[in-house]
Amino acid sequence: MSETQTEIGPRIGDQVFEALQASILSGEYRSGDRLRIRQLAASLGTSVMPVRESLARLEEVGLVETSPHRGAVVKEFTAEELLQIYSVRRILEVEATVQGAQKLDGAGRARLDEEFAAMEAALDSGDASEYLDHDEELLATIYSASGNPVLVETIRTLWLRCRAYKLVGARREISAEAKAPLLKHQRRLMDAVDAGDPGAAAEVTGESFDDAVRRIRAGLGA
């Protein structure tokens, strides 16, 4: 195999993986949707092998599950599984908030304003996926200031696993024209950062998770 061929293979595989991941995260493919390998390969203009490999990678990060009878489907979470994920996220993100809020510099603080403005714009246009992208980047800006990339990477992985649920919730709020709840915790978090109060920032983060758990229990019958 030539050097060019060796380089092309992995690049195509990464492109297929990124395309499928983006489709799941945007809600184009929803929880429980079947992911038929040949149809995906045809729509992406590739062979079945990179699709098969990408589905295996997506299963590793918790976005896809496979069964002998149904094949690959976008993973569906039970209320119990979501509550477990949110329990772990709460522990990690409260700690990341405390560490990051103490170290965030001026450039990082300016980035928070940019992401918050982008969140507002996404809500005005009714784009739940775009809203979540900027919400996560706002939080990641604070968490990254902690200087602990392993902590941030772990949190991002958990975000991927519950993205479908977060999309449903954001779309519900947007449809009900209840946009204020989608911004209140971020605004208070930024205020706590401005006040130089990591404890208050951590309290806001904890409250946001308490609210999320209440929504999961109410919406999924846990």
Side-chain angles (χ1 to χ4, degrees), residues 17-33:
F17 172 80
E18 290 168 4
L20 293 176
Q21 178 177 261
S23 294
I24 293 172
L25 297 184
S26 69
E28 179 181 346
Y29 299 134
R30 305 197 176 201
S31 296
D33 283 354

Side-chain angles (χ1 to χ4, degrees), residues 25-26 54 79 102 110 118 125 132 142 153 162 166 198 207:
L25 297 184
S26 69
S54 295
Q102 297 178 73
S125 64
L132 287 177
I142 297 174
E153 181 182 353
C162 54
K166 291 164 67 178
E207 288 177 5

Side-chain angles (χ1 to χ4, degrees), residues 131-144:
Y131 158 79
L132 287 177
D133 287 343
H134 291 292
D135 177 34
E136 290 175 355
E137 288 311 308
L138 184 151
L139 295 174
T141 299
I142 297 174
Y143 301 164
S144 295

Side-chain angles (χ1 to χ4, degrees), residues 46-97:
T46 186
S47 64
V48 298
M49 185 57 68
V51 174
R52 195 183 306 276
E53 292 172 350
S54 295
L55 291 177
R57 290 172 63 186
L58 289 166
E59 186 168 20
E60 289 176 2
V61 299
L63 293 179
V64 166
E65 58 186 351
T66 59
S67 66
H69 303 296
R70 298 184 67 193
V73 299
V74 179
K75 184 170 175 59
E76 294 181 277
F77 288 99
T78 65
E80 181 179 0
E81 288 173 319
L82 275 172
L83 289 170
Q84 290 170 351
I85 292 172
Y86 272 75
S87 176
V88 175
R89 282 186 56 199
R90 192 186 198 283
I91 295 169
L92 296 179
E93 294 188 44
V94 167
E95 179 62 23
T97 298

